[in-house]
Amino acid sequence: MKPFLDVRDLTVHFPIRKGVLRRVVGAVRAVDGVSFAISKGETLGLVGESGCGKTTAGRSILRLVEPTGGSVHLDGIDLRSLSGRSLRSMRRRMQIVFQDPYGSLNPRLTVRSLLEEGLVIHRMGDAAARAERMRRALDRTGMPAAALDRYPHEFSGGQRQRIAIARALVLEPEFVVLDEPISALDVSIQAQVINLLADLRRDLGLTYLFISHDLSVVEYLSDRVAVMYLGRIVETATAGQLYATPLHPYTIALFSAVPTVDPAKRRSRIVLPGDVPSPARPPAGCRFHPRCPIAEAACREVDPPEVSLDGHRVHCHVAARELDACGGDERRASARMTSLVAATQNAGREGHRQP
Ligand code: SF4
């Protein structure tokens, strides 16, 4: 089946300029060859530490940040080839919900003006039809129609995010980028907004790219999950596969930090050494090698190719070898990878204890 969103080799490089003449002396490789596809009605979670490029990737798909390379097709339409009116009309079909409902809603505009702006730009109906659309969008997000004549500051954070979601919905989009939509909200409200997003997806058949650093929330909302590190995707799988059988050492380390009440799922915490390297000077070979507990000599030189098994894709030399050694049994390979990473970590701790 043809994917609804097809992203291939997407790159976003920001030039580094220096000197009086502002010469380009390098580039920050925020997104550096990212590929994934999303089917209609599906949710792909995009996870990784802050600064890994996930937000830039999401925004560049919508052309809010201009990509420097690669291709993006939505419903078969090449988004990078569009400009002017054709890009504007395509924008109606793809919307974004930003992280911060305090910053993303103009405090000087009423909710009516905020919601109506897009409808006017896209010439969607007369005043009466627009009012009806706005009321419907608010109703879908659990907000009363009376909110239309109030200002954003009159609402709580959760209500503001509902208004931001209504602003996206009022244009009847098919694809929505959710850029950390709950991370600025109180924990008590996060679950309500996540349930709302899940209901909207079911009722309206929406397709989501859900960007988050919160792995437990991503698992709940996503059908598949892609893990990003330093501008690249290192592992992709269904949410079930990834959470039960992570293969990449970075994914294993991320999951080890997720709190769980289930003792059977509890993993010993793996602390990665060092910081994420600068995307202006990504390491050669595997980009994760300076922090990888099980890096080998080859990892410093050779960029690991993608290995795919039943839709579970991973970029790691050792994971590829373990999968091979386990005859393609990803459960066993994941267990072996997890114990390899944990053993190296424990050995490191023991070493530190020695005088
Ligand atoms: Fe670690 Fe090497 Fe795998 Fe990269 S390729 S994640 S450095 S083991």
Side-chain angles (χ1 to χ4, degrees), residues 112 115-116 119-120 123-137 148 170 172:
R112 182 185 299 280
L115 266 59
E116 199 166 29
L119 293 171
V120 172
R123 300 200 177 101
M124 292 174 74
D126 57 16
R130 288 200 296 270
E132 180 50 32
R133 276 179 197 271
M134 290 188 284
R135 274 195 292 273
R136 236 181 11 236
L148 280 171
V170 78
E172 296 174 7

Side-chain angles (χ1 to χ4, degrees), residues 8-314:
R8 299 225 178 137
D9 280 328
L10 184 70
T11 57
V12 184
H13 293 176
F14 298 108
I16 302 170
R17 296 177 191 277
K18 265 197 179 155
V20 185
L21 298 175
R22 312 296 298 148
R23 277 212 194 94
V24 176
V25 294
V28 174
R29 298 158 174 266
V31 179
D32 206 17
V34 161
S35 301
F36 58 81
I38 312 181
S39 305
K40 194 149 179 72
E42 189 186 30
T43 297
L44 178 76
L46 193 56
V47 302
E49 291 164 290
S50 33
C52 71
K54 53 192 190 307
T55 288
T56 309
R59 291 181 188 193
S60 63
I61 288 166
L62 304 184
R63 301 266 312 267
L64 299 176
V65 172
E66 210 49 58
T68 40
S71 67
V72 181
H73 288 81
L74 186 76
D75 201 12
I77 298 165
D78 180 359
L79 297 183
R80 288 204 62 204
S81 70
L82 302 180
S83 59
R85 186 180 292 184
S86 54
L87 177 59
R88 231 180 2 259
S89 92
M90 200 59 195
R91 282 225 166 99
R92 189 200 61 73
R93 299 178 64 185
M94 44 189 202
Q95 289 293 305
I96 183 165
V97 175
F98 294 102
Q99 172 179 358
D100 179 11
Y102 294 87
S104 65
L105 301 176
N106 187 336
R108 284 190 289 263
L109 298 181
T110 60
V111 173
R112 182 185 299 280
S113 307
L114 287 164
L115 266 59
E116 199 166 29
E117 195 176 23
L119 293 171
V120 172
I121 290 170
H122 293 287
R123 300 200 177 101
M124 292 174 74
D126 57 16
R130 288 200 296 270
E132 180 50 32
R133 276 179 197 271
M134 290 188 284
R135 274 195 292 273
R136 236 181 11 236
L138 282 175
D139 185 49
R140 281 197 194 284
T141 58
M143 294 295 291
L148 280 171
D149 296 311
R150 293 165 65 186
Y151 288 86
H153 74 264
E154 298 178 58
F155 298 96
S156 68
Q159 288 172 322
R160 285 186 210 206
Q161 198 58 309
R162 286 173 188 269
I163 292 167
I165 295 168
R167 181 174 59 175
L169 288 185
V170 78
L171 298 173
E172 296 174 7
E174 294 152 80
F175 170 62
V176 183
V177 173
L178 302 167
D179 184 7
E180 303 258 16
I182 59 158
S183 53
L185 305 179
D186 283 353
V187 176
S188 57
I189 298 162
Q190 288 183 352
Q192 294 172 17
V193 174
I194 283 297
N195 286 333
L196 170 67
L197 291 168
D199 291 347
L200 291 171
R201 178 183 63 171
R202 187 196 55 225
D203 297 346
L204 305 173
L206 296 171
T207 304
Y208 288 154
L209 175 64
F210 180 48
I211 297 168
S212 179
H213 64 274
D214 186 336
L215 290 164
S216 30
V217 172
V218 169
E219 181 183 20
Y220 177 71
L221 197 65
S222 307
D223 300 299
R224 284 184 307 124
V225 181
V227 182
M228 252 184 112
Y229 182 79
L230 205 57
R232 292 214 176 136
I233 289 178
V234 295
E235 186 164 12
T236 315
T238 63
Q241 268 176 327
L242 197 77
Y243 283 72
T245 58
L247 289 169
H248 197 281
Y250 178 59
T251 316
I252 291 168
L254 282 183
F255 283 148
S256 76
V258 178
T260 172
V261 287
D262 183 353
K265 287 187 177 171
R266 225 167 267 161
R267 300 164 166 143
S268 58
R269 177 87 195 262
I270 292 157
V271 182
L272 295 174
D275 294 322
V276 182
S278 162
R281 286 182 306 282
C286 172
R287 291 186 172 197
F288 186 55
H289 86 251
R291 302 178 74 200
C292 182
I294 57 168
E296 302 177 340
C299 305
R300 295 180 186 95
E301 286 156 23
V302 186
D303 199 3
E306 180 181 279
V307 175
S308 174
L309 185 84
D310 296 333
H312 192 158
R313 299 157 194 265
V314 63

